[in-house]
Amino acid sequence: MDQIFVYIKKAIVDLVGTFLPESVEIMTSILISITVFCLLGPLLMMYMTWLERKVVGRIQNRLGPNRVGKFGLLQPIADGIKMLTKEDIVPKNADKIVHLLAPILIIAPALLLFAVIPFGKNMTAIDLNIGLIFFLAVSSITTIPIFMASWGSRNKYSLLGGMRSVAQMISYEIPMVLSVVPVILTVGSLSTVAIVDAQSAWGGFKWFLFTPWGLVSFVVFFLCSVAECNRSPFDLPEAESEIIAGFHTEYSGMKFALFYMAEFMNTFTLSALTVTLFLGGWQGPFLPSWIWFFLKTFVIIFIMVWFRGTLPRVRVDQLMGLAWKVLLPVTLVNVIISGFWYYYHNFWALGLGTILLFLTLIGFMKLNRNYMPEKRVYTYGN
Amino acid sequence: MPELELLAKIACYVLMGLTVLFAILVVTVRDLFHRALWLAGVLIAIAGIFIALGAEFLAASQILIYVGAIMTLVIFAIMLTGKISEKSIARTNIQWPIGLVTLTGLAFFMIRIITQTPWNFQSTSMEAHISVLALGEKLLGIYIFAFEIISVILLVALIGALVMAKKDNSSC
């Protein structure tokens, strides 16, 4: 049961290999992986929207989708058909090519990210030597299609949303990358497979979450990933009460659906990476490895939805203040602590690390307090 | 497998061709925002060439730094400065003869260097395994001086940007 998908793929490749030359066999193997991801991404996205609507509905004391199919399970398919049949509106003054290309291009990095996620034992599409850096690099490309969408629409709200989105993504990328450094330091490898293997002791429960630096890194990484995929409470780029819908204001029909899809696929891949880095990846007893992986990932996604149902949206200065004044110093101190933890495995390291962490936290909370945004003076505006 | 090698070769040449094509578009297209997008295309294509040559870490850092950070800043600057993105903006100024002379000289030296280098690399040396560990040891070992100088320059640039962005009326 554990290796069922690996066996199925092997059987198909072997079948091809009996008739055709070896090069075709390799191409088939690559093609199977690509096809699986191209199907898995949209499928996951469809049922994540269902899950989100159900959970938020429960939090807000409603039923959520319940008309199409049992428990509204066919609702995502109905939505998909609706999106496909809607009119595609392009603004008159829009930069037509850029406007068209942005939703297409935003899907590419979202799908590429699936390649390095270890879905289960022997179930990583490519075990890249630099898997983690690949993930961070590819997810940083997402800013450019967002820019294209906001610029190409020729709409002030789009532009504002795009600028907010990019400012947020740049700011949160720095603590995100730094919060991964302790894991890299401890594992000594950038490969996602090696990171999962390093957490295999104690029957698959020696998670990095259970170390002090791991806990801090996990919290920082999780907050940054919520901000990276523009989800509530950091959904300023799409704040519907302020700027309509942000960078996808001028999109309708399937183009809008593509943006939505990219956002949900990013949510999934970032949750999957959180699981891989801090929650032991696919490891766990009794159940097949891929079931463990999806269980853990959907717990993280559930927490994100819970955030959305619970927390109000933060203000822009609070958002930037959190990234630069709290998360960044905490991650820097955390790197030092994990260094101590790695080289001096005793109570001194733990004590010193904790004291350092608390001092930083107190110091930066003090700095962050009583801050009011100053009134701006436009030197050339008046 | 000669078929796959052929495919890889074709892909590599296509990437190189795209790099040159995008680079030409960067300097010929009128709209400044489109130019920035073509520049992003050039940088991604170069990352593709790095991957084809087996330097994955270099490719990833190329995308992370150039496409993820620097291109974003460039586009951000274009968006914040309204007039510069108008189509009627001039593409040349008084300095173009100097630029032409410098470029010709540079191209001349580049071509000389390329033609005089003995390109007799064996295919085994091309597949040298560049691990991240070895790269880090080199950076903090033999190349520590260059590494530190670069970090000091970056720090100076950072402080300089802060000073320039500071309000005019405040003291110190």
Side-chain angles (χ1 to χ4, degrees):
Chain A
M1 219 21 213
D2 187 25
Q3 297 290 297
I4 180 163
F5 295 115
V6 181
Y7 290 146
I8 290 174
K9 185 181 169 183
K10 200 168 174 299
I12 297 173
V13 172
D14 283 348
L15 189 70
V16 171
T18 49
F19 301 114
L20 295 165
E22 204 184 350
S23 56
V24 181
E25 200 177 335
I26 293 172
M27 292 301 276
T28 318
S29 166
I30 298 170
L31 215 68
I32 290 172
S33 303
I34 294 174
T35 317
V36 166
F37 289 139
C38 287
L39 290 175
L40 185 72
L43 200 76
L44 277 169
M45 173 263 177
M46 280 159 68
Y47 281 94
M48 274 162 70
T49 57
W50 177 82
L51 181 83
E52 175 151 11
R53 288 166 75 178
K54 272 286 182 194
V55 174
V56 172
R58 180 74 190 79
I59 291 170
Q60 294 167 352
N61 214 358
R62 322 179 259 115
L63 281 173
N66 61 353
R67 282 287 174 269
V68 194
K70 189 93 177 143
F71 307 118
L73 270 174
L74 296 177
Q75 184 71 45
I77 296 167
D79 281 343
I81 294 168
K82 184 193 82 175
M83 286 295 185
L84 275 172
T85 52
K86 266 191 159 183
E87 189 191 353
D88 175 37
I89 301 164
V90 180
K92 196 180 160 201
N93 283 331
D95 194 334
K96 298 270 174 345
I97 299 168
V98 175
H99 188 266
L100 171 74
L101 275 179
I104 300 168
L105 286 182
I106 203 166
I107 289 291
L111 276 174
L112 273 175
L113 293 180
F114 279 89
V116 289
I117 301 285
F119 285 92
K121 202 174 185 177
N122 305 327
M123 276 170 68
T124 317
I126 2 166
D127 179 15
L128 268 182
N129 188 12
I130 48 143
L132 201 55
I133 297 287
F134 172 85
F135 190 99
L136 296 168
V138 172
S139 67
S140 74
I141 300 183
T142 315
T143 50
I144 287 181
I146 289 181
F147 258 141
M148 288 167 72
S150 61
W151 181 264
S153 299
R154 289 269 187 276
N155 178 322
K156 287 208 170 75
Y157 292 113
S158 294
L159 205 58
L160 278 174
M163 289 221 186
R164 278 189 185 190
S165 169
V166 171
Q168 179 174 328
M169 282 172 115
I170 292 180
S171 306
Y172 277 85
E173 203 158 274
I174 297 160
M176 189 172 181
V177 174
L178 281 173
S179 71
V180 172
V181 170
V183 176
I184 301 171
L185 186 75
T186 313
V187 178
S189 169
L190 289 167
S191 154
T192 43
V193 177
I195 289 169
V196 175
D197 285 340
Q199 304 177 64
S200 62
W202 307 350
F205 275 96
K206 200 193 176 192
W207 300 352
F208 287 137
L209 181 68
F210 299 141
T211 51
W213 54 264
L215 184 66
V216 176
S217 274
F218 169 73
V219 172
V220 172
F221 189 85
F222 178 68
L223 286 178
C224 291
S225 60
V226 174
E228 280 274 301
C229 43
N230 298 338
R231 287 185 64 86
S232 178
F234 304 110
D235 60 345
L236 284 145
E238 291 154 29
E240 61 276 357
S241 54
E242 298 162 25
I243 49 172
I244 309 179
F247 58 89
H248 52 64
T249 304
E250 293 289 0
Y251 284 92
S252 61
M254 205 54 207
K255 286 182 187 166
F256 166 74
L258 285 176
F259 277 115
Y260 212 58
M261 191 190 278
E263 205 172 303
F264 271 90
M265 287 201 292
N266 280 334
T267 312
F268 178 82
T269 42
L270 279 166
S271 308
L273 193 70
T274 316
V275 167
T276 305
L277 288 175
F278 302 107
L279 301 179
W282 42 261
Q283 313 208 50
F286 313 125
L287 291 172
S289 55
W290 45 277
I291 291 189
W292 269 111
F293 171 81
F294 278 105
L295 267 180
K296 290 175 186 172
T297 308
F298 273 97
V299 168
I300 299 280
I301 292 170
F302 174 75
I303 296 173
M304 284 193 183
V305 177
W306 192 2
F307 264 35
R308 185 185 155 191
T310 315
L311 297 170
R313 188 177 300 134
V314 295
R315 234 171 35 219
V316 174
D317 61 302
Q318 288 169 336
L319 178 92
M320 290 298 160
L322 182 68
W324 292 102
K325 291 182 190 167
V326 180
L327 296 183
L328 184 62
V330 166
T331 46
L332 285 174
V333 174
N334 199 29
V335 171
I336 301 172
I337 292 174
S338 65
F340 273 116
W341 183 267
Y342 185 67
Y343 282 108
Y344 309 100
H345 212 74
N346 58 22
F347 284 102
W348 281 107
L350 183 60
L352 194 67
T354 322
I355 291 168
L356 261 175
L357 187 66
F358 268 97
L359 281 180
T360 329
L361 262 179
I362 292 165
F364 285 100
M365 285 299 181
K366 277 245 163 64
L367 267 183
N368 210 11
R369 211 178 49 185
N370 290 336
Y371 174 74
M372 282 297 288
E374 279 176 60
K375 195 159 190 273
R376 283 198 200 170
V377 181
Y378 296 97
T379 321
Y380 304 106
N382 299 322
Chain B
M1 283 150 283
E3 299 97 339
L4 287 186
E5 270 176 21
L6 186 70
L7 269 181
K9 248 181 201 163
I10 291 172
C12 203
Y13 281 118
V14 166
L15 276 172
M16 288 173 187
L18 280 180
T19 312
V20 175
L21 180 73
F22 289 168
I24 292 170
L25 281 170
V26 170
V27 286
T28 50
V29 171
R30 287 209 81 91
D31 192 330
L32 199 62
F33 186 73
H34 288 182
R35 288 189 202 179
L37 291 180
W38 287 122
L39 186 56
V42 172
L43 295 168
I44 292 174
I46 289 174
I49 294 174
F50 282 150
I51 289 177
L53 295 177
E56 291 137 348
F57 183 73
L58 210 57
S61 19
Q62 161 99 4
I63 288 180
L64 190 66
I65 295 165
Y66 284 97
V67 183
I70 292 180
M71 276 322 295
T72 315
L73 279 181
V74 166
I75 299 177
F76 216 74
I78 291 173
M79 280 178 152
L80 286 174
T81 44
K83 266 191 191 142
I84 211 168
S85 61
E86 276 168 21
K87 287 193 175 140
S88 57
I89 193 157
R91 280 181 297 170
T92 52
N93 62 7
I94 196 97
Q95 292 173 342
W96 71 266
I98 308 168
L100 188 69
V101 170
T102 321
L103 201 70
T104 322
L106 189 70
F108 176 70
F109 280 113
M110 290 281 273
I111 290 167
R112 272 200 70 165
I113 288 168
I114 290 169
T115 47
Q116 284 184 359
T117 310
W119 298 103
N120 57 353
F121 291 125
Q122 300 297 312
S123 59
T124 47
S125 71
M126 284 294 284
E127 285 163 15
H129 186 67
I130 307 159
S131 76
V132 183
L133 199 71
L135 209 64
E137 275 170 356
K138 277 271 157 33
L139 267 184
L140 290 177
I142 192 162
Y143 297 116
I144 182 78
F145 191 62
F147 185 70
E148 286 297 321
I149 282 185
I150 289 168
S151 53
V152 167
I153 289 173
L154 283 177
L155 187 68
V156 168
L158 201 76
I159 296 170
L162 273 178
V163 169
M164 287 211 278
K166 218 176 62 170
K167 266 176 294 181
D168 297 333
N169 52 1
S170 65
S171 57
C172 106

